[in-house]
Amino acid sequence: MTAPTTRKDLMIVNMGPQHPSMHGVLRLIVTLDGEDVVDCEPILGYLHRGMEKIAENRTIIQYLPYVTRWDYLATMFTEAITINGPEQLGNIQVPKRASYIRVIMLELSRIASHLLWLGPFMADIGAQTPFFYIFRERELIYDLFEAATGMRMMHNYFRIGGVAADLPYGWIDKCLDFCDYFLTGVAEYQKLITRNPIFLERVEGVGIIGRDEALNWGLSGPMLRASGIEWDLRKVDHYESYDEFDWQVQWQREGDSLARYLVRIGEMTESIKIIQQALEGIPGGPYENLEMRRFDRLKDPEWNDFEYRFISKKPSPTFELSKQELYVRVEAPKGELGIFLIGDQSVFPWRWKIRPPGFINLQILPQLVKRMKLADIMTILGSIDIIMGEVDR
């Protein structure tokens, strides 16, 4: 009988692709020396749907229902960036009420996204309970979305110059009730998770990113702010009405997975502060620019001129993009979501380049997992917070 020999060569293991609702269809080819990670190569592209090419063959309004499929957990942000570009190209003013409604929707969407990051992240590192808790709160946010937009996940709510419909009667009170309730929910999460010794053992000092490293890799969002850089596009770019509210940028110095968790937990409470201020100070007036322009109109328009096509609400108003190029960006829950847009005096964009935060943030993964243990891969990957819909587009 031959004695079993211990093999000493490296082992190559496939992690994924998993089901889209887990970490998405991301495949990691991991080279292991026992439990230690020697190398990691992410393989992308299993969810590539040609989103940029589709945009070049659709008008902006026709393309709006597609964009919620990039990051399908923070859908309001993809809609916001899609209409912000054309608005800046056409120098279209957004009524104050519409801007406040947008801020409320964006911040609710940020909370929903962070919640569905927190639950699976905790499940990845062995804590099952928060996964059920976060769905309780997230359902309430989706109920609010459904009441305002008619859809729970893919809203198609933002429009060039405003939003598709005003807030329904009683919605503001319901939202204020949710804010009060959610603050107790966040306190519950922190009590359950933040000081838990098993949780701290798994995340503290794992996946450390230094300040300079974060800048050199082009990271953004909580990934950047957890490494000691106070950078938030809501404060930097002053878009929508964020300057009118009192809130703080959440950031940490340590740069590990725990710091990224603390930043996101802090952002949820800051979002609630912004929503409460916006709900209490929301002005009256029109909820979209088209209505405003219709009231201001003095003469009867010619049938074919731009004003008529813009104001007559055809199923797909043909909004012409002027011949110039533009980069617009918003602070999405995962980082800087940007669009590079080239107009061509046509109703279709000539070029539509998406800069997804997840794709850029994911680049640092191979460097972070080297010399770590196999089990740490899930902690680090979870702390990056990626959605493969926007990574692959």
Side-chain angles (χ1 to χ4, degrees):
M1 179 179 153
T2 55
T5 55
T6 306
R7 293 176 60 183
K8 290 191 168 58
D9 50 345
L10 301 176
M11 180 165 57
I12 294 176
V13 176
N14 256 321
M15 279 186 78
Q18 286 104 354
H19 186 273
S21 69
M22 289 300 292
H23 283 288
V25 284
L26 172 65
R27 177 180 170 210
L28 300 177
I29 299 177
V30 186
T31 308
L32 298 174
D33 180 8
E35 281 281 304
D36 297 317
V37 180
V38 177
D39 192 25
C40 168
E41 184 189 353
I43 308 290
L44 313 173
Y46 292 101
L47 204 56
H48 175 62
R49 294 160 294 180
M51 284 295 181
E52 294 175 355
K53 210 66 200 163
I54 291 171
E56 291 166 22
N57 298 288
R58 299 284 186 282
T59 65
I60 300 298
I61 304 294
Q62 284 173 333
Y63 186 54
L64 259 176
Y66 288 85
V67 301
T68 42
R69 273 82 179 168
W70 306 344
D71 179 352
Y72 35 79
L73 301 182
T75 43
M76 290 294 183
F77 290 89
T78 56
E79 291 184 23
I81 196 71
T82 304
I83 52 130
N84 280 1
E87 275 175 0
Q88 287 186 29
L89 277 183
N91 196 23
I92 291 168
Q93 302 305 309
V94 179
K96 192 60 124 188
R97 182 177 180 83
S99 184
Y100 270 59
I101 293 173
R102 283 183 185 181
V103 166
I104 293 165
M105 293 300 176
L106 289 173
E107 293 309 310
L108 282 173
S109 197
R110 188 183 308 278
I111 294 169
S113 175
H114 282 338
L115 284 175
L116 203 58
W117 163 79
L118 179 64
F121 175 64
M122 295 308 296
D124 283 343
I125 57 179
Q128 200 62 53
T129 316
F131 193 73
F132 301 114
Y133 283 17
I134 63 112
F135 274 102
R136 183 185 60 190
E137 272 83 33
R138 190 166 159 267
E139 281 301 302
L140 296 174
I141 294 177
Y142 278 15
D143 289 342
L144 288 169
F145 281 158
E146 188 179 12
T149 72
M151 296 274 241
R152 292 177 75 77
M153 251 180 111
M154 315 292 183
H155 314 289
N156 191 16
Y157 184 61
F158 282 45
R159 291 289 183 276
I160 294 172
V163 290
D166 208 345
L167 297 174
Y169 179 76
W171 193 92
I172 289 176
D173 295 333
K174 278 272 192 297
C175 195
L176 282 167
D177 291 345
F178 164 76
C179 290
D180 295 335
Y181 168 73
F182 184 72
L183 287 173
T184 61
V186 173
E188 198 175 37
Y189 299 149
Q190 287 176 304
K191 201 167 151 191
L192 180 70
I193 300 168
T194 310
R195 298 234 175 93
N196 185 313
I198 303 169
F199 169 71
L200 291 176
E201 196 73 31
R202 290 296 307 270
V203 295
E204 220 167 351
V206 172
I208 296 174
I209 306 171
R211 182 190 168 95
D212 295 337
E213 213 177 2
L215 287 171
N216 292 339
W217 280 94
L219 304 183
S220 56
M223 291 283 286
L224 184 68
R225 290 192 286 276
S227 296
I229 295 170
E230 220 176 323
W231 175 267
D232 191 308
L233 294 176
R234 292 172 288 176
K235 292 276 193 194
V236 175
D237 284 359
H238 314 291
Y239 63 91
E240 296 303 348
S241 314
Y242 281 107
D243 282 352
E244 297 173 25
F245 308 121
D246 176 33
W247 60 282
Q248 262 68 49
V249 175
Q250 295 296 305
W251 62 289
Q252 299 285 329
R253 292 184 197 282
E254 293 77 23
D256 58 0
S257 297
L258 176 63
R260 295 192 272 281
Y261 156 81
L262 291 171
V263 165
R264 291 186 178 104
I265 284 282
E267 280 189 4
M268 289 200 276
T269 51
E270 289 302 311
S271 289
I272 288 289
K273 271 168 62 178
I274 294 172
I275 293 167
Q276 285 174 326
Q277 290 171 61
L279 288 168
E280 282 157 12
I282 191 166
Y287 61 89
E288 60 164 356
N289 186 286
L290 306 188
E291 296 292 339
M292 209 156 66
R293 289 169 67 167
R294 184 179 284 166
F295 293 139
D296 291 346
R297 191 179 55 183
L298 299 172
K299 59 179 177 46
D300 290 331
E302 291 176 27
W303 275 85
N304 265 332
D305 74 354
F306 172 74
E307 286 289 314
Y308 179 77
R309 282 179 292 164
F310 194 50
I311 288 171
S312 71
K313 292 194 180 173
K314 295 181 179 178
S316 175
T318 45
F319 178 83
E320 280 174 9
L321 301 165
S322 57
K323 200 180 178 78
Q324 52 179 307
E325 55 187 59
L326 180 71
Y327 177 71
V328 283
R329 57 189 186 173
V330 294
E331 183 68 45
K334 292 161 186 64
E336 181 184 320
L337 172 63
I339 296 287
F340 176 65
L341 169 66
I342 301 181
D344 194 26
Q345 213 62 52
S346 152
V347 293
F348 302 141
W350 189 84
R351 179 80 175 98
W352 184 275
K353 173 78 181 77
I354 305 163
R355 186 248 189 238
F359 180 64
I360 313 287
N361 291 347
L362 186 62
Q363 293 180 114
I364 199 172
L365 178 71
Q367 183 180 316
L368 289 184
V369 299
K370 276 175 193 164
R371 296 178 300 285
M372 303 299 283
K373 298 291 185 193
L374 176 63
D376 291 330
I377 293 184
M378 292 320 292
T379 307
I380 293 168
L381 182 62
S383 75
I384 293 175
D385 189 13
I386 54 160
I387 290 292
M388 292 311 289
E390 68 170 10
V391 173
D392 291 341
R393 306 190 288 300

